[in-house]
Amino acid sequence: MKINKSELVTALFEEGGLLRKDAEIAVNFLFDTIKIALREGNEVNISNFGTFVPLTKSARVGTSPSSHEIIKIPETKSVAFHLSKSFKEELNK
């Protein structure tokens, strides 16, 4: 089962007692704040949940699988997520 953003908004609306519009604003604000922090190179630590860590993969040389020619792969940014100890323990009960 997958949960998407609109389902998070609905859960916050139904369980959190917020108006649907306010719930949508809150979810968007949360995700936008996390994205901005990561883009600036900051870790985002959410207690009892986990930590989002920004990563930078260096530029490198690779081989094209179709033509087997050598290509330059540019530097890319990514994000890793590490579960908190308490969340990991809860998942493994």
Side-chain angles (χ1 to χ4, degrees):
M1 177 175 145
K2 292 183 183 180
I3 295 178
N4 60 32
K5 190 166 101 171
S6 66
E7 290 169 332
L8 289 173
V9 169
T10 300
L12 194 54
F13 163 66
E14 291 175 352
E15 303 295 325
L18 295 177
L19 297 172
R20 183 174 295 278
K21 184 77 171 169
D22 292 338
E24 186 173 350
I25 290 169
V27 170
N28 286 332
F29 180 77
L30 174 67
F31 290 143
D32 289 345
T33 302
I34 290 171
K35 286 190 280 188
I36 290 166
L38 291 168
R39 193 177 307 126
E40 292 174 352
N42 299 310
E43 289 185 8
V44 177
N45 184 346
I46 301 172
S47 297
N48 299 318
F49 185 71
T51 304
F52 295 92
V53 181
L55 302 173
T56 302
K57 295 180 182 181
S58 301
R60 59 196 187 280
V61 176
T63 305
S64 170
S66 59
S67 65
H68 301 288
E69 67 181 90
I70 294 175
I71 57 172
K72 292 181 182 177
I73 301 169
E75 177 180 278
T76 59
K77 293 185 179 188
S78 186
V79 174
F81 179 74
H82 304 285
L83 289 173
S84 71
K85 183 179 177 183
S86 62
F87 187 22
K88 188 173 186 175
E89 289 171 355
E90 189 177 319
L91 282 175
N92 290 303
K93 282 185 180 179

